[in-house]
Amino acid sequence: MTLTLTVSDEVRALAPGFTHVAIEAHGLVNGPSSEAGSALLDDAARRLAVRLDGRAPHEDPHMAAWRETYTAFGSKPSRTRNSAEALAKRALSDAGLPRINLLVDLYNAVSVAHLIPVGGEDIDRIEGGMRLIRATGEEDFVTVAGGEETVEHPDAGEVVWRDDAGVTCRRWNWRQGPRTRLTERTTSGIFLLESLAPMPVAEVTAAAGELAELLAKFSPGADIAVRAPESSA
């Protein structure tokens, strides 16, 4: 069954250059971070350094476009960075990139190498379809603070991904909720690559192809489908 992904007219109006490419995969095999996954993350950090050529991540034109869009819906981009910029900063720091689990490491490597926000959700934990909307401020976002589950609410006008149960990711791709994240028990996932102009659609499509190849390599026999890019332009 294909998971539905919809983008609201309000979000399309906010970011007319928005494009997303989804990869739906079933029969995945996840597990702890591995040496192979770690090597991919290290290689991604090297590719990022070459791409930036001494610039800070936020100076990249694609990251600058995300900062402008975050500002447009009322978020401070220097405090709540899009996921690609946040990972890029970590990749260039002494601490380096985190190791989470194999599937997350794979999509984080693609995100860093291409400077594209990439997210992954466990399809079996999603209720209904997923929708990218501007929040009313009344939606529930279940997260963990201080080791305990707590419910937050997005700001009115904030761009969020949500399903029938509530918000799955706040501030577009800034913070994912634990309910739908990929765990070592995940076997079905939806992976979403998100870009804004001026990044060419061909580049986000190529990044999706790279991620699909990695998923196939580490989960032989998985059913993997890359959807055609959907643009707001």
Side-chain angles (χ1 to χ4, degrees), residues 19-102:
T19 298
H20 70 272
V21 180
I23 303 169
E24 186 167 340
H26 300 272
L28 294 168
V29 179
N30 200 7
S33 297
S34 65
E35 289 186 10
S38 186
L40 286 169
L41 289 168
D42 289 340
D43 182 62
R46 287 190 289 269
R47 291 167 66 184
L48 172 68
V50 171
R51 183 187 191 96
L52 291 174
D53 192 25
R55 295 174 298 165
H58 71 266
E59 295 176 299
D60 177 85
H62 189 214
M63 295 297 93
W66 276 105
R67 283 194 165 215
E68 290 175 6
T69 300
Y70 269 49
T71 300
F73 67 78
S75 289
K76 295 182 178 179
S78 59
R79 292 181 56 191
T80 56
R81 296 178 175 87
N82 75 80
S83 64
E85 184 183 332
L87 276 176
K89 281 183 64 66
R90 293 197 65 171
L92 298 173
S93 72
D94 292 338
L97 288 165
R99 274 60 171 165
I100 308 297
N101 59 54
L102 180 58

Side-chain angles (χ1 to χ4, degrees), residues 14 16 26 32 46 63 92 112 123 127 132 156 185 198-199 222 228:
L14 177 74
H26 300 272
R46 287 190 289 269
M63 295 297 93
L92 298 173
V112 168
I123 289 177
E127 298 189 23
L132 187 65
R185 297 180 298 279
M199 175 168 280

Side-chain angles (χ1 to χ4, degrees), residues 104-189:
V104 175
D105 292 350
L106 295 184
Y107 78 68
N108 278 349
V110 171
S111 175
V112 168
H114 291 271
L115 265 185
I116 295 172
V118 184
E121 307 278 1
D122 189 321
I123 289 177
D124 294 329
R125 295 172 178 267
I126 295 170
E127 298 189 23
M130 290 182 60
R131 307 183 295 282
L132 187 65
I133 65 166
R134 298 197 71 174
T136 65
E138 298 178 358
E139 298 87 352
D140 288 343
F141 177 70
V142 180
T143 186
V144 175
E148 296 186 0
E149 186 175 284
T150 184
V151 177
E152 298 177 354
H153 303 284
D155 299 327
E158 181 182 325
V159 177
V160 299
W161 279 101
R162 68 158 302 162
D163 65 0
D164 290 350
V167 173
T168 58
C169 195
R170 286 197 59 188
R171 295 195 175 100
W172 210 312
N173 49 50
W174 166 65
R175 178 183 291 171
Q176 182 185 32
R179 173 171 60 89
T180 58
R181 67 187 174 191
L182 303 179
T183 71
E184 293 182 19
R185 297 180 298 279
T186 297
T187 58
S188 294

